[in-house]
Amino acid sequence: MKISALIAASAIALVLNVLPASAAGHTTDLVIKEASGSVAETTDALTSAVEKAGATLFTTVDHSGGAMSVDMELPDAKLVIFGNPELGTPVMQSEILAGLALPLRVLIYSQDGATKIAYLKPEAMAARYGIEDADETIAKITGALDKLTDAAAQ
């Protein structure tokens, strides 16, 4: 358990602290939004929106809590993992390796005094795994992610 927490903490530290803020904000494969609430409030808002939309909330990973469990510091960061099998299954039928990116993951984190919401663009996932026959499904996933994260950002 402690090793997995250390690995999770190290991975998030790499993303949040090694990449310059300008590079992280301009990565074309990511959507990064600013939220009005704290990390906890935004996480609660996202999980509520996911449940109201009828999607499946699989888990929330507390990266900063994991770091604290091994006496390390990390800005407040939570990863919400959720999905909808009606949308994700056709993508995985096209390419099973898309299961490395599904279910969907949204990172909510604190950076420079602001709460941010970040996720990988579904189009980038499709391109990474060579998914060419699921454009309509990818568009639906994109719309859902945008709607859910906008609701959480309020």
Side-chain angles (χ1 to χ4, degrees):
M1 177 90 171
K2 286 191 177 197
I3 291 177
S4 63
L6 180 61
I7 292 169
S10 298
I12 197 70
L14 176 66
V15 171
L16 294 178
N17 294 322
V18 174
L19 292 177
S22 60
H26 290 47
T27 302
T28 58
D29 287 350
L30 296 177
V31 173
I32 301 176
K33 300 178 180 183
E34 197 157 313
S36 60
S38 67
V39 170
E41 292 166 339
T42 304
T43 300
D44 288 346
L46 179 60
T47 58
S48 177
V50 165
E51 290 170 343
K52 285 179 185 173
T56 301
L57 177 63
F58 291 102
T59 195
T60 299
V61 178
D62 182 358
H63 286 302
S64 48
M68 284 192 316
S69 75
V70 292
D71 296 323
M72 296 177 74
E73 291 184 23
L74 191 64
D76 199 5
K78 296 191 177 11
L79 182 71
V80 180
I81 302 174
F82 63 94
N84 178 338
E86 288 182 32
L87 295 176
T89 301
V91 174
M92 290 181 63
Q93 286 173 330
S94 175
E95 176 52 67
I96 193 66
L97 290 176
L100 291 167
L102 295 172
L104 299 170
R105 294 155 179 80
V106 174
L107 180 66
I108 302 168
Y109 61 100
S110 179
Q111 184 177 48
D112 301 324
T115 298
K116 309 266 179 117
I117 300 171
Y119 59 89
L120 179 66
K121 290 179 183 177
E123 300 86 9
M125 175 194 61
R128 172 177 281 166
Y129 298 109
I131 300 165
E132 297 176 1
D133 58 348
D135 290 345
E136 185 178 322
T137 302
I138 295 297
K140 286 179 183 177
I141 293 171
T142 300
L145 268 171
D146 193 46
K147 182 178 176 183
L148 293 169
T149 55
D150 280 352
Q154 300 295 321

